[in-house]
Amino acid sequence: MSFTESERHRVGALYWAAFGRKLRPAFGSDEVGAALVTATLRPDRMLVARDGGEVTGVCGFHQDGHGAADLTWRRLRDELGRAAAARAWLTLAPLDRREHDGVLTLDGICVSADRRGRGIGSALLDRVAEHAARHGRRWVQLSVVDTNPRAEALYRRHGFRVVEEGSVGALRRLYGFERYRTMRKKI
Ligand SMILES: CC(C)(COP(=O)(O)OP(=O)(O)OC[C@H]1O[C@@H](n2cnc3c(N)ncnc32)[C@H](O)[C@@H]1OP(=O)(O)O)[C@@H](O)C(=O)NCCC(=O)NCCS
């Protein structure tokens, strides 16, 4: 199940808390980035976990050319103006993940900091695998950065295996990480 419009703000805050460090350089400030990402999150590209009616975790995914946040050129230009949109577009491009046949690629999984370690992330991984199977995918894929060994350990326990390693090279200072691993799980 995805998020409702009344939950958009909460979902955006969770997403930005987890991925703002990586996305911030595209927007120049946390405020601008968080607002734009929150406004562009797509309910049809995110699964959410709830506890007592409160969203506790989210898992975005790419499908049919759209990821969790709809940061299209048109949307960036309309919201930021042409010059800032061009900067955002160029900064986000190296982070973009192409879709592959038969593969559902995740676009950010995160759990509220005060709820981690209680199985919510695992439940989201199971649910996104079910979603992938329902949509005819045979694999689930994600990327994890070298500064996040605990998340990588979780993915390994869930059956994900490294299929590719890459580097953002000289852009490491910009994004806050250098190397990343692409992992896949057969479903
Ligand atoms: C990674 C994350 C989604 C896992 O969700 P979770 O609900 O904590 O996961 P579970 O309770 O099902 O499993 C616990 C495992 O998650 C991993 N984990 C726990 N806290 C974590 C944290 N702060 N950062 C990264 N991984 C964490 C560990 O492998 C942990 O097992 P351990 O306690 O034996 O070390 C969540 O911790 C999180 O949001 N982390 C910050 C954002 C992030 O790193 N996202 C992944 C990007 S690839």
Side-chain angles (χ1 to χ4, degrees), residues 93-113:
L95 301 174
D96 204 25
R97 298 282 166 259
R98 271 191 305 125
E99 289 182 41
H100 304 275
D101 281 350
V103 181
L104 189 87
T105 301
L106 302 198
D107 191 15
I109 176 168
C110 56
V111 168
S112 177

Side-chain angles (χ1 to χ4, degrees), residues 17-19 58 108-113 115-125 142-145 148-155 157-158:
F19 305 112
V58 303
I109 176 168
C110 56
V111 168
S112 177
R115 307 292 180 97
R116 289 177 193 160
R118 299 185 195 178
I120 297 169
S122 293
L124 282 168
L125 287 172
L142 53 79
S143 290
V144 60
V145 299
N148 204 350
R150 289 189 70 191
E152 185 178 328
L154 174 68
Y155 303 143
R157 288 202 296 276
H158 274 262

Side-chain angles (χ1 to χ4, degrees), residues 151-187:
E152 185 178 328
L154 174 68
Y155 303 143
R156 283 185 189 278
R157 288 202 296 276
H158 274 262
F160 286 85
R161 296 292 173 256
V162 175
V163 292
E164 193 189 356
E165 298 196 49
S167 165
V168 294
L171 297 174
R172 64 183 178 278
R173 283 209 182 83
L174 191 65
Y175 301 125
F177 68 90
E178 180 172 3
R179 301 195 64 78
Y180 62 88
R181 290 180 163 172
T182 301
M183 303 180 81
R184 267 188 194 180
K185 172 186 174 164
K186 197 163 175 43
I187 51 172

